[in-house]
Amino acid sequence: MAYTIGSGDSADRRLLGLSWSHFLNDGAATFLPGILPALLIQMQLSVSLAGTIMAALLVGQGLQPLVGLLGDRFGGRTFVVLGLLGSSAGGAMIGFVETPSALIGVLVLIGISNSLFHPQALAGVRLLAHERQGSAMSFFLVGGEIGRGVWPALASLVVVHIGMGYLWLLSIPALFTLPLLWHWAPSLAPRQADTTPIAWRAHAGPLTGLVLFCALRALIIFTVITFVPVLWSQAGGGLTAGASFITVLMVVGVIGNLGGGRLADSKPTRPILVAAMLISSALLVAFVLLDGVWLWLVLAALGVALFSTLPLTILIAQDILPENRSFGSGLALGLANAIGALAVIALGPVAAHCGAAAPLEVAAVCGVIAGLLALWLPQHKTSAAI
């Protein structure tokens, strides 16, 4: 690797293992969009419920701040392992549900498990990375992005070629990874009762702005991955091709994630956040207006722009709350994602009445608002200043 993590090769291997586990967890937790059109048809559900179904999967992430508080209080790594176990088990169960209520129950289980995985894992990555924290954070996040990109395509292939009931095959790698994850994840020290308390009054303003920014970004991402495959399906496109849009967005977005992490180590973060969100808005408008191969190219560029901001915002959250870094990570990732997911519910009726492209236009407006909001966010303290 081009950067030094922790104490050497052992820390490098553990970070690689955590990134692989992130790949499996987020893949199992977010392959739903790739098969959502097939589920809507199989259960005879209206497209107006697409946002509600996605929200059931994602709203559980709102528990991440609570999990972060508990993770900081008790330390250890149990939540990371339980999170991967629950996400993978829930992903396998999707293929066996027969009613909308059962589907919602399984999706809520996956969302809760996803909340268990992330806060301690993110704090553990920062613990392993004494230097080049932005690069290490982005390397870990890349695993999740690739998982969110690859799994929808894999799930759609399984559904198309062998049937919904075989989705459990995607959970096999996690079964073999769970024992190894116990050794890869750092055991975090518990927060002592006499340590510095959280300075809520000082943190309230910066945290509110950061969570709103991350929620708007989450709304944009969830809108794209929910409604682009539906829009493609309504236009007569195939399930696998629709899922490939998500793959392009997430996998090419790795470039942005790595680039954003590198920039976080040496450059001011605020201009990066502003530029990334304004570019994202322009790309969303372009996606609505263009067709053909341009659709994939625009989504690739959108992934780079959106995901370049992810490692920056997590590091900013941890800077704001140095007393509780797991909690800070949970706010910037989990709570913000849950707010974005709830907002997606409202876009389901918009898609039903105005067309599946309408939510993308709403997302473009949200990108402009996020870009303006970024002007007031704190700057991340670069590695040289820590």
Side-chain angles (χ1 to χ4, degrees):
M1 299 171 112
Y3 50 87
T4 301
I5 300 171
S7 59
D9 290 343
S10 175
D12 288 351
R13 289 193 295 270
R14 294 174 72 182
L15 179 61
L16 179 62
L18 282 173
S19 188
W20 164 252
S21 302
H22 197 194
F23 168 80
L24 296 175
N25 178 81
D26 282 22
T30 56
F31 68 69
L32 176 67
I35 63 169
L36 183 57
L39 275 174
L40 292 175
I41 294 172
Q42 178 176 299
M43 295 188 176
Q44 299 180 338
L45 300 175
S46 166
V47 69
S48 65
L49 294 176
T52 302
I53 292 172
M54 281 298 297
L57 173 66
L58 299 166
V59 74
Q61 295 191 37
L63 293 174
Q64 283 196 38
L66 174 60
V67 174
L69 282 174
L70 293 174
D72 287 325
R73 173 65 182 86
F74 297 107
R77 53 198 161 204
T78 303
F79 289 159
V80 181
V81 178
L82 289 177
L84 178 58
L85 174 62
S87 296
S88 301
M93 293 168 63
I94 288 179
F96 299 105
V97 297
E98 298 181 350
T99 65
S101 58
L103 174 63
I104 295 296
V106 170
L107 296 180
V108 170
L109 168 65
I110 295 173
I112 293 173
S113 300
N114 204 24
S115 287
L116 291 176
F117 178 86
H118 283 95
Q120 280 192 333
L122 290 165
V125 168
R126 187 152 181 164
L127 183 64
L128 289 174
H130 297 302
E131 298 177 356
R132 301 285 184 180
Q133 294 177 354
S135 298
M137 187 67 71
S138 64
F139 184 77
F140 169 75
L141 293 171
V142 158
E145 280 184 34
I146 296 176
R148 291 192 298 272
V150 171
W151 244 241
L154 291 177
S156 68
L157 288 171
V158 169
V159 171
V160 168
H161 293 288
I162 56 179
M164 195 84 69
Y166 288 90
L167 286 173
W168 61 269
L169 292 171
L170 299 179
S171 300
I172 292 177
L175 182 65
F176 292 98
T177 298
L178 283 167
L180 299 172
L181 179 57
W182 186 260
H183 299 286
W184 290 333
S187 181
L188 303 177
R191 185 172 185 269
Q192 302 299 319
D194 58 351
T195 54
T196 304
I198 297 176
W200 291 110
R201 185 165 300 185
H203 298 330
L207 276 177
T208 299
L210 181 64
V211 170
L212 287 175
F213 175 90
C214 294
L216 290 168
R217 180 187 61 202
L219 174 61
I220 295 171
I221 295 172
F222 297 154
T223 299
V224 171
I225 67 176
T226 301
F227 293 103
V228 165
V230 173
L231 179 63
W232 182 257
S233 178
Q234 289 180 343
L239 188 68
T240 302
S244 72
F245 282 115
I246 304 171
T247 300
V248 168
L249 177 77
M250 297 295 184
V251 174
V252 180
V254 165
I255 298 172
N257 202 322
L258 291 172
R262 293 277 182 161
L263 290 172
D265 287 330
S266 58
K267 304 294 182 182
T269 53
R270 192 179 294 135
I272 302 171
L273 296 176
V274 174
M277 299 313 297
L278 295 181
I279 291 171
S280 297
S281 290
L283 290 169
L284 284 165
V285 173
F287 183 86
V288 173
L289 297 176
L290 298 174
D291 56 19
V293 69
W294 287 105
L295 298 178
W296 279 269
L297 294 176
V298 168
L299 280 186
L302 180 63
V304 173
L306 286 173
F307 290 108
S308 67
T309 68
L310 190 57
L312 279 63
T313 51
I314 291 175
L315 290 169
I316 291 171
Q318 294 179 346
D319 288 342
I320 295 172
L321 285 172
E323 313 96 334
N324 287 77
R325 284 175 173 165
S326 293
F327 180 53
S329 301
L331 287 172
L333 193 62
L335 178 61
N337 283 353
I339 295 172
L342 288 173
V344 170
I345 295 177
L347 295 181
V350 171
H353 289 90
C354 304
L360 301 179
E361 297 167 356
V362 174
V365 175
C366 291
V368 174
I369 296 172
L372 296 175
L373 183 61
L375 292 170
W376 287 273
L377 293 181
Q379 296 278 18
H380 166 58
K381 302 170 186 175
T382 62
S383 298
I386 295 175

